[in-house]
Amino acid sequence: MTGYEGLFRLDGRRAVVIGAGSGIGRESALALSAHGASVVCADRDLPAAEGTAERCGGTARLLDVLDPGAVRACAEEAPADVLVFTAATNVRKRLLDYSGEEFARVVELNLRASFDVVRAFGAGMVERGHGSIIGFASIRASVTEPGQGVYSATKAGLVQLLRTAAAEFGPHGVRVNAVAPGVVETPLTRQIKDNPAWYDAYAAKSALGRWAQPQEMAGAVVYLASDAASFVTGSVLYVDGGWTAVDGRFDPPN
């Protein structure tokens, strides 16, 4: 296929999606498969990964990203043309209430594990001379609120990690980008989604006046994975319903 009609096609490419068992990861795997990629669905919940793999005709793999050796083994055994990773955690507490254990837990998954993933899969891409790495940051990388300090810090750190990888891997033909969602109905946000006051307040904050569904992140993933984004690297693509563009929702009278 030649010309613009094939811009978003991923035929002949292998995509590894880490966190494919649910939420944004699952929808990313389904979307990449729909555009022609063969997909490895990796997750620490193997039955969930198997469920996604069955739906997209891919393969499932048990992967705990907190185990650096397992991450390296996955990268060696399933070399990727496209890597998507979504794994993250959050402890919503104000800084003065945070424990050292909670801080370490959030940093370990959101930042240290991301460092291991980018290095492990990036090394193979650099060697082969091509690839696209897509990490999931958050609006919290640039805007925050009380109770989000550590999570925000890790997501800001992830953005800079990915930008640095873009700078270092770019000369070898590897692109590295971040997607920054707003509020999305996923297992990570269940705590606030189940509170009507929180849910309504968050919905009102975006320009579109609602939460996102996980499948609404899939287009950004396909775009960044594909040749449509062949000159896009080191970027943060906000898929936030206008959250970061809107400073409050007060609509003054004419």
Side-chain angles (χ1 to χ4, degrees):
M1 191 176 288
T2 59
Y4 290 137
E5 69 273 14
L7 266 182
F8 295 92
R9 294 299 304 174
L10 298 167
D11 304 278
R13 301 183 199 183
R14 172 187 273 171
V16 175
V17 179
I18 298 176
S22 65
I24 294 169
R26 178 177 59 203
E27 299 303 328
S28 297
L30 297 176
L32 292 167
S33 173
H35 285 78
S38 61
V39 183
V40 176
C41 302
D43 202 284
R44 65 179 181 178
D45 182 343
L46 183 57
E50 290 172 338
T52 303
E54 184 176 349
R55 290 179 60 187
C56 69
T59 59
R61 184 181 181 111
L62 176 66
L63 178 62
D64 180 359
V65 292
L66 294 176
D67 180 347
V71 171
R72 289 192 297 271
C74 184
E76 292 170 1
E77 296 165 15
D81 302 301
V82 176
L83 170 69
V84 180
F85 60 98
T86 67
T89 190
N90 191 8
V91 176
R92 296 178 61 89
K93 284 187 177 180
R94 294 175 183 251
L95 295 176
L96 298 183
D97 298 325
Y98 241 82
S99 71
E101 184 278 328
E102 289 165 336
F103 177 87
R105 175 155 41 101
V106 175
V107 172
E108 186 80 355
L109 179 57
N110 294 5
L111 200 51
R112 206 298 310 278
S114 297
F115 172 75
D116 290 337
V117 165
V118 168
R119 281 163 39 90
F121 283 88
M125 291 180 178
V126 165
E127 184 177 342
R128 294 187 295 276
H130 68 273
S132 174
I133 295 173
I134 304 162
F136 269 81
S138 167
I139 56 172
R140 298 305 177 201
S142 60
V143 294
T144 191
E145 66 183 10
Q148 294 275 46
V150 178
Y151 181 78
S152 297
T154 61
K155 290 303 184 178
L158 175 60
V159 165
Q160 292 300 82
L161 176 69
L162 294 173
R163 284 172 168 163
T164 304
E168 295 179 358
F169 300 171
H172 304 280
V174 180
R175 298 183 297 105
V176 186
N177 293 286
V179 177
V183 289
V184 186
E185 296 194 13
T186 70
L188 183 65
T189 56
R190 183 171 295 126
Q191 176 187 357
I192 51 176
K193 177 185 147 190
D194 290 344
N195 182 318
W198 274 107
Y199 188 89
D200 292 344
Y202 272 29
K205 182 63 178 70
S206 74
L208 296 181
R210 63 177 178 84
W211 287 51
Q213 298 300 313
Q215 58 267 31
E216 293 183 286
M217 304 298 118
V221 170
V222 171
Y223 165 66
L224 291 173
S226 73
D227 291 342
S230 60
F231 202 60
V232 179
T233 195
S235 293
V236 182
L237 177 53
Y238 285 89
V239 188
D240 65 355
W243 182 298
T244 51
V246 177
D247 183 16
R249 289 299 306 274
F250 177 63
D251 190 5
N254 293 327

